Amino acid sequence: MKNNLTIIIYLLTFLILSLVLKLFNVINISISELFGYTLIFFGINLVYTSLGKSRRGTLFSGTFIFLLGMLLFIINNFSFLNTNELIFPSLLFILGICFLMLFFDDMTGRKQLIISITLIITGTFVTIFAGTLTLSSFFSNIPVIISKYWIAGLIIIGMILLINRDLNRK
């Protein structure tokens, strides 16, 4: 329980620091993108604290929360003609990766691997046939994202290092 309290304290610190940076125009992000960063940070911490500890529900939830945050980040930073077209394939990929994480946590669970592969392949086919993503648009936006959000990346890395330090002390 103390680990969760530490994570929540760091998460609130991240939110407050991000909001202060936004108020002083050091970073220019939308509230939905800030929410995405929060989900990424919280999801990473849930996965980190549950992996290898037979906390499958927390691992699944943490992976889902992290990937949902990544989806918000992508939607806010890439140009899509219709973001509604992303929802179904993204959900398939997210669920597929969640089940894959469960398999990595306990490699005897072959059902999770089969479910994961099925969902990821289905998501890939839906993406290909719907034509919602091109690799050229993805790679052309990476330098823009890095130059715009390097500060947020440093904040996230710093928070992870602080949590890692606190968890190693115990």
Side-chain angles (χ1 to χ4, degrees):
M1 186 68 171
K2 188 173 182 180
N3 288 343
N4 290 339
L5 182 60
T6 303
I7 290 169
I8 290 171
I9 289 170
Y10 285 136
L11 184 62
L12 290 174
T13 303
F14 168 75
L15 281 172
I16 292 168
L17 186 58
S18 297
L19 288 172
V20 168
L21 290 173
K22 181 176 172 45
L23 288 174
F24 288 106
N25 290 323
V26 175
I27 57 175
N28 184 21
I29 59 174
S30 67
I31 297 299
S32 68
E33 189 170 359
L34 181 59
F35 184 61
Y37 285 129
T38 304
L39 292 175
I40 290 168
F41 178 73
F42 189 59
I44 285 172
N45 288 298
L46 285 176
V47 169
Y48 182 77
T49 58
S50 63
L51 196 60
K53 296 183 176 106
S54 298
R55 296 174 55 202
R56 299 170 65 77
T58 305
L59 178 61
F60 190 92
S61 300
T63 304
F64 189 87
I65 290 168
F66 169 77
L67 293 172
L68 187 60
M70 290 299 295
L71 178 62
L72 286 174
F73 175 80
I74 290 168
I75 287 172
N76 281 296
N77 288 290
F78 291 91
S79 299
F80 295 101
L81 296 175
N82 185 1
T83 55
N84 291 335
E85 292 178 357
L86 295 174
I87 294 171
F88 182 65
S90 297
L91 183 62
L92 292 172
F93 282 121
I94 289 170
L95 290 173
I97 294 170
C98 288
F99 280 105
L100 186 62
M101 288 298 291
L102 291 178
F103 173 73
F104 287 150
D105 191 45
D106 177 15
M107 294 204 173
T108 61
R110 300 283 182 211
K111 287 181 188 177
Q112 285 84 13
L113 181 61
I114 293 168
I115 293 170
S116 172
I117 291 170
T118 303
L119 289 169
I120 291 171
I121 289 173
T122 304
T124 302
F125 281 123
V126 170
T127 301
I128 290 170
F129 291 124
T132 57
L133 178 66
T134 64
L135 289 177
S136 63
S137 67
F138 175 78
F139 287 118
S140 68
N141 283 308
I142 290 176
V144 175
I145 292 169
I146 291 171
S147 69
K148 190 175 179 183
Y149 298 107
W150 63 272
I151 293 175
L154 289 178
I155 292 170
I156 291 171
I157 290 169
M159 293 295 186
I160 291 170
L161 291 174
L162 286 171
I163 289 172
N164 192 26
R165 183 190 69 186
D166 287 347
L167 291 175
N168 287 336
R169 285 184 184 170
K170 295 172 183 163

